[in-house]
Amino acid sequence: MSTIKDSETQQQSMKRNLYHLIINGEQVASSNNATFKTFNPATGELIAEVAQATKEDTEKAIQAARHAFDYGKWKKSPINKRSRVLNKIASIMRARFNELVELEILDTGKSLSTAQGQVMQAIEDFEFYAGAIVGHRGVVNNVPGQFHNYTEKEPVGVCAQIIPWNYPLMMAAWKIAPAIAVGCSVVVKPASLTPLTAIILGEICLEAGVPEGVVNIVPGPGAEVGNYLVGHKQVDKVAFTGSTPIGKNIMERASQTLKRVTLELGGKSPNIVFADADIDAAVDGSLYGIFYNSGQSCEARSRLYVQEEVYEEFVGKFVEKTKKLQLGNPFDQGTHVGAIIDQNQLNVIDSYVKSAIADGAEILVGGKVAVVEGYENGFWYEPTVIANVNHEMKVVQEEIFGPVVVIMPFKDEKEAVKLANDSEFGLGSALWSKDAARTTRVANQIQAGIVMVNCPFSAFPGTPFGGYKQSGFGRELCIETLDLYTETKSIVSYYGSRPLNPLGV
Ligand code: NAD
Ligand code: MN
C-alpha cells in the first residue's frame, strides 16, 4: 500500500460530507461500508458521515501497526528524523490552524477562543515532543567490579489510544505525539461524538512523512472497537482518557494480556480561596476553572471552597460575573461558554442539579437547560452555582461534567485540606492566597496530580498532567510520558581480562 501523496491531501478540504478510516497509510471505507453521523452540538445539525470501523477493520489496523513496528523503519529511524517529522506535523497544523479550529468548533460546539487554545496546544505538543525525544535516553549505572551497565529506552510496541469527546484534537495529540516520537505504532480510536479532527490529524501525520501503519485511526463504538483493541494479544499498551468506570473496565481486561496501561479519568477538583487571596483574581480564575469548555473538563475545578471571612464578598462577585457569561454562536469572539456535547450529557447535568435541589441545596444562579436564541436545536446549559451543600451530596462527590460548581465556606487551612481531600478523585486543584508559605504547605497536603497556585490553568506542554486516586495513573504532556511509551532494557557487559567462572567447575 502506498501513502497518500502530499498534493492529494493538501487539496482535500477538512470539511467534507464523508470521512474515512486510516489504516496502513490509506484512507479507506469500513469493511461493510457502514457509517455513523456526527452532529454540531450548538445547532443540532448534521455535519458529516464517518466510516465506522468494524472488528475486521480494527484487526487490519492492529496488523498494520504490528507490521510497521516489527518490520518497518520508523522505530529504527534516527531520532533527528523522527523529530523532524513531528515538527513537520506541527507546521502543517499551523498552516491549517483556522481550518482545524473551525472543524473542532463544528464537531464539539465549543467556543472560538477555547478551540483556538486547544488547537494551538495540540500543535505545541508535537513541537514539544520533537524536542523532548532528542534528550530521551537511558543511563549508565555505577555497578561494582569490572562490569558495565547501561540502559536503553525501547518503544513499547503497538499502542491502542482511546480518546474522549471533550478535547478531541488535543487529546489525540497528547497521545499520538509521544508514542510516535519514541517509535511506537498507534491505533487511535476517537470518541464517536467528535471523530473529525483526529481523522484529519491522522491524514496530516501521513502527509508529514509518518510511514504507513504507524498511525491508524479507527472511529467506531467504544463497546466494539475499543473493546476489541483492549482485548487484543498483539496490542502492547492501552492509553485511555475517559470516564472512571470505563477506565476500570479497561484495566481489568488489559490485565488478561498484561498490557501496559495508562489512564486519565474523571475528577472533582477542589478550588480553595483563602481570605488573604487577591479576591478579584480568584473570582476570575475560578470562573475559568469551572466554566471553561462548558465545564466538560476532567480537571474542572467543580468544588469551590471559600474561607469564611471573604465568603460573602467572593460569592457576590462570583455570581455577578457568572450572570455575565455569554452563551451563543460558538464562532463569535464574545461567546464565553459553548454548547454541551449532546442531549444525553445535558440530561445528566440537569439531573445532578435537580438532585441538589432535592437534597436541599440552593441554586444561586443558573440551574436550568438554557434557551439560546438562534440555537434552539442545540444543547445548552446555564452556568450554575450551587450553595448550601454538604459533603455527602451527590453533587459534591460525583463528577457532573458540565457548567455546574458547588460552593462552600471553610474555617481554616486544616479544614480546607480535609474537604479538598474528601473525594475519590485526585486530578486537579487550585489554591488562591498571597501567603507563599501557606500555599506551599497546602500544596504538599493535597492529594492530586496537579496543584495550581494563583493560576487559572495548568496544562502547558512540559507540565505533567494526570491523576492520583481514582483519577487514574500515568502522566501525559511531559517528558515522563516518553518513559510510559518505552520499556527500559538493562545491558550488562563484563570487561575484565580474566574469564569468570562463577560456578567454579
Ligand atoms: P467515556 O469513558 O464514555 O469514553 C471515552 C472513550 O472510550 C470513547 O472513545 C469511548 O468510545 C471509549 N469507550 C467506551 N466504552 C469502551 C470500552 N468498553 N472499551 C474501550 N473503549 C471504550 O468518556 P467520555 O464520555 O468520552 O469522556 C468524558 C470522561 O472523560 C469524563 O469522565 C472525564 O472526566 C474524562 N476525561 C478525563 C481526562 C483526563 O485527562 N483525566 C481528560 C478528558 C476527559
Ligand atoms: Mn460532533
Side-chain angles (χ1 to χ4, degrees), residues 162-167 171 174 189-192 220-223 226-227 230 240-244 246 249-250 253 264-267 297-298 399 401 427 465 471 476:
I162 302 174
I163 314 288
W165 47 257
N166 56 344
Y167 299 105
M171 290 296 125
W174 283 23
K189 196 205 86 63
S192 300
N227 220 25
V230 174
F240 170 79
T241 297
S243 58
T244 296
I246 305 276
N249 179 274
I250 285 178
R253 283 183 303 121
E264 304 273 11
L265 308 175
S297 293
C298 44
E399 179 175 54
F401 228 58
L427 187 56
F465 191 99
S471 291
E476 292 188 300

Side-chain angles (χ1 to χ4, degrees), residues 39-255:
F39 296 89
N40 177 345
T43 60
E45 281 162 0
L46 175 69
I47 312 169
E49 305 249 348
V50 181
Q52 176 169 322
T54 59
K55 280 185 190 158
E56 202 182 327
D57 297 316
T58 312
E59 178 65 33
K60 275 189 203 152
I62 294 168
Q63 293 314 324
R66 198 69 259 170
H67 193 271
F69 188 78
D70 294 336
Y71 306 108
K73 55 186 188 271
W74 181 248
K75 85 171 170 194
K76 294 189 203 114
S77 59
I79 282 181
N80 60 348
K81 160 86 195 280
R82 293 204 300 269
S83 175
R84 221 161 37 237
V85 172
L86 263 74
N87 273 322
K88 179 86 188 286
I89 294 169
S91 75
I92 296 171
M93 290 170 83
R94 270 188 197 280
R96 305 190 72 177
F97 178 79
N98 289 333
E99 281 179 274
L100 282 167
V101 168
E102 184 187 355
L103 199 59
E104 193 76 326
I105 292 174
L106 287 174
D107 213 4
T108 62
K110 63 181 73 203
S111 70
L112 178 64
S113 62
T114 308
Q116 284 170 330
Q118 292 165 18
V119 171
M120 188 49 77
Q121 208 226 59
I123 295 168
E124 290 170 351
D125 293 340
F126 280 93
E127 292 167 344
F128 171 75
Y129 284 111
I133 187 60
V134 176
H136 188 245
R137 58 186 180 270
V139 295
V140 176
N141 292 305
N142 291 326
V143 290
Q146 292 176 308
F147 298 96
H148 178 59
N149 174 221
Y150 67 98
T151 61
E152 291 274 16
K153 296 283 185 182
E154 294 186 349
V156 76
V158 172
C159 305
Q161 302 185 313
I162 302 174
I163 314 288
W165 47 257
N166 56 344
Y167 299 105
L169 182 68
M170 207 171 84
M171 290 296 125
W174 283 23
K175 296 213 169 1
I176 296 173
I180 67 172
V182 298
C184 289
S185 300
V186 301
V187 181
V188 179
K189 196 205 86 63
S192 300
L193 291 170
T194 59
L196 302 183
T197 48
I199 296 172
I200 298 292
L201 178 56
E203 294 174 13
I204 290 174
C205 288
L206 295 177
E207 188 187 335
V210 175
E212 62 192 31
V214 174
V215 174
N216 304 277
I217 315 277
V218 286
E224 199 173 312
V225 176
N227 220 25
Y228 192 79
L229 286 166
V230 174
H232 203 286
K233 278 192 176 142
Q234 287 170 288
V235 171
D236 302 294
K237 164 164 177 146
V238 185
F240 170 79
T241 297
S243 58
T244 296
I246 305 276
K248 288 178 182 176
N249 179 274
I250 285 178
M251 188 167 164
E252 197 179 323
R253 283 183 303 121
S255 72

Side-chain angles (χ1 to χ4, degrees), residues 165 266-269 290 293-298 300-303 340-341 344-356 363 381-382 384-386 389 393-407 425:
W165 47 257
K268 190 79 183 177
S269 299
I290 182 61
N293 216 49
S294 308
Q296 303 168 118
S297 293
C298 44
R301 269 84 77 192
S302 49
R303 291 184 289 141
I340 302 302
I341 197 68
N344 183 44
Q345 188 60 22
L346 198 62
N347 294 344
V348 168
I349 297 167
D350 200 46
S351 73
Y352 271 111
V353 172
K354 292 211 163 87
S355 84
I363 310 295
Y381 206 81
E382 293 177 353
T384 299
V385 182
I386 304 180
V389 292
M393 289 181 188
K394 257 171 67 147
V395 82
V396 175
Q397 289 296 335
E398 296 179 18
E399 179 175 54
I400 299 175
F401 228 58
V404 179
V405 68
V406 295
I407 185 162
F425 298 111

